[in-house]
Amino acid sequence: MSPVAAPPSSLVLDLPPALATPPGAGAVADAEGARAIGRGAAEGLFCGPAPVLVAHAGLTARRLGLEAPPRAAHLLDVLELFVFVRPARFCAPTPTGLAIALGLDEPVGAVAQATALRSVAGRLLAELSAADYPDLEAALTLNGTLSRAGWSWGERVDQALRAGLVAAGRNPRDRREPGTGLDVWNRLSEWEEVAPRGEAGSHPVDSESARIRLDHMLKGLGLDEARPTQSDYAAEAAFAFSPRDQKDQPRALLAEAGTGTGKTLGYLAPAGLWAERNHGTVWVSTYTRALQRQIAREGLALPDHPGQTRRRVVVRKGRENYLCLLNLQEMVQQAQLGAGDVIGLGLVARWAGACADGDMTGGDFPAWLPGLYAAPAAHQPWPANLVDRRGECIHAACAHYRRCFVEKTVRAARHADVVIANHALVMVQAAFDGARAARPGAGDSETAALKRIVFDEGHHLFEAADSAFSASLSGQEAAELRRWIRGPETRARRGRGLEQRLGDLIGDDGPARKALGDVLAAASRLPGEGVQTRILRGADSGGPSGPVEQFLAIALEQLRARADPRGGAEEQGMECAARPAIPELAAAAARAAEALAAVEAPLLALSRHLEDVLDEEAETLDGGARARIEGALRGLDRRARMTLPSWRAMLTDLASGDAAGDPEFVDWLAAESAFGRLSDVSLRRHWVDPTQPLEATVIRPSHGVLVTSATLTDPDFGEDPFHLARLRSATGRLDMPARTLKVESPFDYAAQSKVIVVTDVPRDDPRRTAAAMRALFLASGGGALGLFTAIRRLKAVYGLLGPELGRAGLPLYAQHIDPLDVGALVDVFRTERDSCLLGTDAIRDGVDVPGRSLRLLVFDRVPWPRPDLLHRARRERFARVDGSGGGRIYDDALARGRMAQAFGRLIRRADDKGVFVMLDAACPTRLFGGLPPGVEVERMELAEAVATLSRFLGPDEHGTTA
């Protein structure tokens, strides 16, 4: 590997030393060169007082065994500089990620990383000093504001920007624009209203046209013609885009496409063609954000008209994912008065001015930015404070309404050919529109366009439906409802209550004013600030306040009496069946239901009043007023027609004393833990079979549905390999059976992969598990993913594994430990080819890492489903009881699918090689039945597995033995 290039010789800015601290190692690079240093010396540099360059101060502190520091003047985080210089550009948050983002070679080892970090800082400053750097004056203005707030980069950025002005032939004196540079909301473009698109047509897409369109798309990407399997997939997928013949009988296709088939372009071909021919919209729904981003990239290959690509493919998420400009403005104002983080908010504003769509969760927002420092949460630009998570949007009354990212995205989606959404949004919106349809004059629903749907990652449809159509009444959720109604009741909180949002809309209308007063009064009996603390004090201690809190406190008594605490300690969380309820709980449930009814009735009255305004003043309302009323109605409907009725139904059923309950639901009590102690109590209700509401609200009303995944079939669950997929996707409920398609992967798995079950590692010994993973990770030379079925085992193994790998020069990262979200962890793992990563379910389902960055996958044990109350009810419902094991068949199918999904992460390209290792000696061979044909399972002891792994992977392209 070639050495990292140095910054341009013309750069004369004096940079401080750069500190790199991969696990088990440390190095510093300064003007005299780079050298390894010990942990003590690294800690001394990091803690100051001399200036030092770092990459992710929070992660660096953790590597040194320290609490993450407050923002300190001597720490110059190069990631902050990257956000300023290259806003809305991708970068993995490590020295290696920074180097690769700037086009440098991957630095291997602490010394090379320290050298790269200093070089990156110099190159970024050099970019600012270039004459053609865009908007030099605006950057200079914002930097002035950040400098006054104490930004450690301020002076150096100022020098670079002024050098750029000189290079551009402009006088650097007084070149700042007026203002602070924080008011990005004033510089964004406005959306424009356009006429409705109208109802989509019914012109079919034939198989041959789909094949031709696929070839066209591939050539547009500079690729060869489609592979036969990909072309066949596109041709068969066209069935989902043919007209239906009967109401409530969509054209449904279940399509399993092995990894490497190219299914994304395979279904985008007929989807794009249908959208063009019918002037309609196809919704592509995914389960993970990673796939949403991937499909968006590949969607750009749709044959586009000049300047209209963004119109044709739109990423759509829930409102809570997008930056709220009003929230940003309010936080900026608070920060300027000393109650916030001006620097962090300034970097968010810098990003907002360059971003594609304002998406802060999975878009181009650097999700690692808020975690760089551990300042108090109220002083951090956390995405949770910058988005509208509580439904407090005031819509057209907002000064930024016409620049709003959410409104832009919603309008773009209405006229898009392809909308890339997620399962949660599609289902929640469909359920909401179904409840909303109960009121007269509900107007157009967003899901009216859900006529053609592609469910990618279709194996997750069941889980998504389970979440979307469930109900949970907890102290925190009830307190959020109170806050949504009454607004913040302490100065430490921010927000807007109903009076602020609806007061002027209601005006002097007597009945509406009474309804508003009634709901404000009734909401005072809901849980408020500090609800968790009061619940945990107990029902007899004077702690709980109000009927809902009293109910939850008594629920905790039943939990403590009947639950087996998970992990052997109450602090791990508890759950137990809600029935039979202790006598006190049934009575408390009745009182809580009455309190909720007192909130629900005036909310419905407010909703009816706003409906009357829309109806009676239709000719005089302007577009802004109408939009504001419709937005208010959405919030009222969601709570008055969905949330509160579902809570009341649970409580009323519990209060009835019926020991059996509704057989279609499972109700239970749960106590959750956080940081080693109980944090909240809840009453929960889930459908035994959530495909019932899925079929009614999403599948049956559509005209065509394609459910696709690399793992839909199961060889042992029923005579039909698609039998379980039919059950768990709701397509088995249709009168006209769904078609099925199975396309094998083009990869040679027998040559490209190995599957090993290690037979001599005890299941419940973290030291032996850590020793086994260490030996395997070292043998692979990194590129290893360790998957765990329990967070506590992950944490135990991490503590034993990290130092050993660090001494071998292999960086180790871990979910639930490192201060990075899952997406950032996967980005780091993908970028650093020899790193190792430990994770749980989210990692298993969200990894797309082609090449040598993922060459070993190790399961700590079989991923059986957790045998909780809900799973036991479903096992009884879905299991094929034939005398050969009964419920075991259902459990096997779920575990087999999870293992097949994990295996699918390992081989992503034709030249990949990888090894799948199971450390659970008791793993039955039948659970490997979901792996591709040709894959053999070998059982051996650890020493033999290490040798086999080393031989199979062999030396990499640089001659290094894995």
Side-chain angles (χ1 to χ4, degrees):
M1 181 171 292
S2 60
V4 175
S9 58
S10 60
L11 183 63
V12 295
L13 294 172
D14 181 26
L15 286 171
L19 174 66
T21 57
V28 63
D30 53 25
E32 299 177 358
R35 57 195 179 279
I37 58 174
R39 174 174 171 174
E43 182 177 338
L45 278 172
F46 185 71
C47 294
V52 62
L53 301 174
V54 297
H56 204 296
L59 186 57
T60 302
R62 182 162 194 89
R63 293 294 186 226
L64 295 172
L66 305 170
E67 291 294 328
R71 181 170 275 112
H74 77 284
L75 289 176
L76 286 85
D77 202 315
V78 182
L79 287 167
E80 283 188 340
L81 180 62
F82 183 89
V83 173
F84 188 92
V85 179
R86 296 188 175 188
R89 299 275 292 276
F90 171 77
C91 173
T94 63
T96 299
L98 283 162
I100 292 176
L102 266 73
L104 305 178
D105 290 332
E106 179 183 350
V108 178
V111 171
Q113 289 177 19
T115 302
L117 191 58
R118 199 160 187 268
S119 178
V120 165
R123 287 175 176 271
L124 289 173
L125 291 171
E127 285 187 27
L128 289 179
S129 66
D132 58 352
Y133 188 80
D135 297 325
L136 283 164
E137 288 87 353
L140 192 65
T141 298
L142 178 58
N143 181 62
T145 300
L146 302 185
S147 297
R148 290 190 293 274
W151 192 34
S152 54
W153 282 105
E155 182 178 351
R156 290 176 172 82
V157 167
D158 185 80
Q159 293 175 27
L161 288 170
R162 290 182 182 279
L165 287 169
V166 171
R170 287 176 276 177
N171 189 339
R173 292 183 179 181
D174 300 324
R175 293 300 300 187
R176 289 197 185 106
E177 293 182 345
T180 64
L182 295 169
D183 56 344
V184 63
W185 47 84
N186 290 329
R187 300 190 297 274
L188 297 173
S189 63
E190 296 186 352
W191 52 263
E192 295 182 359
E193 198 69 78
V194 296
R197 196 173 189 182
E199 190 71 23
S202 298
H203 299 291
V205 175
D206 61 276
S207 298
E208 188 59 30
S209 295
R211 293 182 193 270
I212 294 171
R213 172 54 61 91
L214 176 62
D215 286 339
H216 187 184
M217 293 167 62
L218 291 170
K219 290 175 181 176
L221 290 172
L223 302 175
D224 296 330
E225 292 184 355
R227 298 180 292 272
T229 52
Q230 186 182 29
S231 184
D232 291 344
Y233 178 93
E236 292 295 326
F239 171 74
F241 300 96
S242 56
R244 67 179 185 180
D245 296 331
Q246 299 179 36
K247 181 182 179 181
D248 294 335
Q249 293 302 318
R251 302 290 189 179
L253 173 66
L254 298 174
E256 179 176 286
T259 305
T261 301
K263 64 179 170 61
T264 302
L265 292 181
Y267 62 65
L268 284 178
L273 195 56
W274 180 89
E276 289 179 14
R277 288 180 177 179
N278 295 283
H279 303 286
T281 301
V282 176
W283 284 64
V284 176
S285 179
T286 75
Y287 189 67
T288 62
R289 293 169 181 164
L291 186 59
Q292 205 170 10
R293 291 197 302 267
Q294 177 187 330
I295 296 173
R297 290 194 301 268
E298 297 192 27
L300 296 178
L302 287 169
D304 65 300
H305 305 295
Q308 294 187 354
T309 300
R310 289 286 303 280
R311 179 190 67 81
R312 296 170 63 81
V313 181
V314 175
V315 176
R316 180 77 173 89
K317 297 183 180 181
R319 180 175 294 272
E320 68 279 2
N321 292 278
Y322 297 92
L323 174 68
C324 171
L325 295 174
L326 184 57
N327 284 1
L328 176 62
Q329 181 183 20
E330 291 179 352
M331 291 185 69
V332 164
Q333 291 170 346
Q334 293 171 6
Q336 290 176 314
L337 295 174
D341 181 359
V342 172
I343 298 170
L345 291 170
L347 295 175
V348 170
R350 184 81 171 145
W351 163 79
C355 67
D357 56 9
D359 180 7
M360 300 190 75
T361 58
D364 52 21
F365 179 74
W368 37 261
L369 177 61
L372 294 183
Y373 294 90
H379 291 178
Q380 286 222 21
W382 290 105
N385 294 333
L386 290 167
V387 300
D388 179 24
R389 292 190 183 278
R390 300 181 180 91
E392 296 175 340
C393 180
I394 57 177
H395 302 281
C398 177
H400 312 307
Y401 179 66
R402 297 198 65 84
R403 295 183 176 90
C404 174
F405 288 117
V406 176
E407 296 298 329
K408 288 180 181 178
T409 303
V410 169
R411 282 161 174 77
R414 290 173 182 167
H415 296 270
D417 289 348
V418 176
V419 174
I420 304 169
N422 54 65
H423 297 348
L425 174 66
V426 169
M427 294 180 193
V428 170
Q429 192 64 46
F432 171 56
D433 284 341
R436 183 170 172 254
R439 65 172 174 85
D444 293 336
S445 68
E446 185 169 355
T447 52
L450 281 174
K451 302 302 183 186
R452 305 287 172 174
I453 314 173
V454 177
F455 286 110
D456 205 336
E457 297 179 301
H459 59 285
H460 280 303
L461 263 181
F462 190 91
E463 288 81 2
D466 184 35
S467 176
F469 300 111
S470 63
S472 175
L473 171 59
S474 69
Q476 181 61 37
E477 288 167 323
E480 285 292 335
L481 177 60
R482 172 178 174 145
R483 184 178 170 194
W484 180 81
I485 294 172
R486 294 175 63 90
E489 296 175 275
T490 63
R491 291 185 178 182
R493 304 296 294 271
R494 55 174 298 280
R496 296 172 287 276
L498 280 182
E499 176 66 51
Q500 292 174 282
R501 301 198 303 275
L502 301 182
D504 61 325
L505 290 176
I506 291 172
D508 297 327
D509 183 273
R513 274 287 162 191
K514 182 181 184 302
L516 180 58
D518 289 346
V519 75
L520 292 174
S524 66
R525 302 181 69 199
L526 296 175
E529 297 285 341
V531 54
Q532 293 95 333
T533 301
R534 291 191 297 274
I535 290 173
L536 298 176
R537 286 177 185 165
D540 298 327
S541 66
S545 173
V548 176
E549 286 189 19
Q550 291 165 2
F551 166 77
L552 294 173
I554 296 172
L556 181 58
E557 293 179 7
Q558 178 166 320
L559 278 161
R560 284 172 169 158
R562 297 181 181 175
D564 291 327
R566 296 195 289 270
E570 184 176 292
E571 290 72 17
Q572 297 296 323
M574 300 180 291
E575 66 178 34
C576 74
R579 296 179 181 80
I582 61 177
E584 298 84 356
L585 187 65
R591 294 192 295 271
E594 291 176 2
L596 294 178
V599 176
E600 182 181 332
L603 281 179
L604 287 171
L606 280 174
S607 179
R608 286 192 291 270
H609 169 75
L610 294 180
E611 293 165 13
D612 291 341
V613 172
L614 281 179
D615 183 37
E616 297 169 4
E617 301 180 20
E619 296 182 0
T620 59
L621 283 175
D622 60 30
R626 175 173 291 278
R628 187 179 172 198
I629 293 174
E630 290 177 344
L633 279 170
R634 283 195 292 271
L636 290 168
D637 285 349
R638 189 177 298 278
R639 289 157 182 84
R641 301 181 191 275
M642 291 182 64
T643 301
L644 283 165
S646 65
W647 287 356
R648 281 199 306 106
M650 289 191 294
L651 291 167
T652 302
D653 288 352
L654 192 59
S656 70
D658 183 359
D662 191 326
E664 297 299 331
F665 299 99
V666 177
D667 296 345
W668 75 96
L669 304 174
E672 297 301 321
S673 65
F675 306 106
R677 59 183 180 182
L678 292 180
S679 60
D680 205 354
V681 180
S682 60
L683 170 64
R684 299 182 178 181
R685 165 171 283 187
H686 284 238
W687 287 81
V688 176
D689 182 3
T691 66
Q692 292 188 49
L694 171 63
E695 179 246 352
T697 60
V698 181
I699 302 297
R700 191 172 290 274
S702 67
H703 288 217
V705 178
L706 168 61
V707 180
T708 188
S709 169
T711 54
L712 283 181
T713 61
D714 186 274
D716 296 329
F717 196 92
E719 297 180 359
D720 175 11
F722 284 91
H723 181 60
L724 185 61
R726 295 181 194 276
L727 291 179
R728 289 172 62 87
S729 67
T731 57
R733 296 178 171 276
L734 297 174
D735 297 335
M736 186 173 71
R739 283 192 185 183
T740 60
L741 171 69
K742 183 177 175 67
V743 180
E744 298 291 352
S745 169
F747 299 148
D748 183 357
Y749 286 104
Q752 292 180 246
S753 65
K754 279 192 173 296
V755 177
I756 298 172
V757 178
V758 176
T759 59
D760 59 344
V761 176
R763 280 170 48 95
D764 299 314
D765 186 343
R767 291 186 176 276
R768 294 288 296 277
T769 300
M773 285 195 173
R774 179 173 61 247
L776 293 165
F777 287 9
L778 291 173
S780 70
L785 176 61
L787 294 175
F788 291 80
T789 56
I791 295 173
R792 64 179 183 275
R793 289 200 302 274
L794 182 155
K795 291 182 175 179
V797 169
Y798 176 87
L800 299 167
L801 190 59
E804 292 285 343
L805 293 182
R807 283 190 282 273
L810 302 181
L812 177 65
Y813 302 93
Q815 185 189 8
H816 305 294
I817 294 177
D818 287 317
L820 299 171
D821 69 358
V822 170
L825 283 171
V826 173
D827 288 339
V828 171
F829 182 61
R830 183 187 299 110
T831 301
E832 300 184 4
R833 296 192 316 154
D834 295 333
S835 63
C836 303
L837 176 61
L838 306 182
T840 53
D841 288 353
I843 296 289
R844 181 192 69 219
D845 293 328
V847 172
D848 180 28
V849 184
R852 283 184 56 81
S853 290
L854 177 54
R855 49 192 182 268
L856 171 65
L857 192 151
V858 182
F859 259 109
D860 78 319
R861 61 175 62 181
V862 174
W864 295 113
R866 191 166 72 90
D868 55 20
L869 294 165
L870 183 58
H871 175 72
R872 291 202 297 270
R874 286 173 176 163
R875 179 168 54 191
E876 182 178 347
R877 175 73 63 91
F878 293 119
R880 181 170 63 100
V881 182
D882 61 358
S884 64
R888 189 201 77 185
I889 297 174
Y890 184 65
D891 290 347
D892 283 1
L894 297 185
R896 192 159 40 236
R898 293 172 181 176
M899 290 168 60
Q901 272 295 313
F903 180 86
R905 307 297 95 192
L906 196 57
I907 307 297
R908 311 296 291 176
R909 300 189 313 205
D911 57 350
D912 280 354
K913 293 182 70 175
V915 179
F916 180 107
V917 177
M918 172 64 71
L919 295 180
D920 190 346
C923 179
T925 300
R926 66 179 184 273
L927 296 187
F928 294 98
L931 302 189
V935 176
E936 295 185 2
V937 180
E938 302 177 74
R939 296 179 180 269
M940 60 188 70
E941 294 184 349
L942 179 62
E944 185 181 354
V946 169
T948 301
L949 167 66
S950 184
R951 287 195 303 269
F952 180 74
L953 293 180
D956 64 17
E957 61 267 34
H958 302 290
T960 304
T961 300

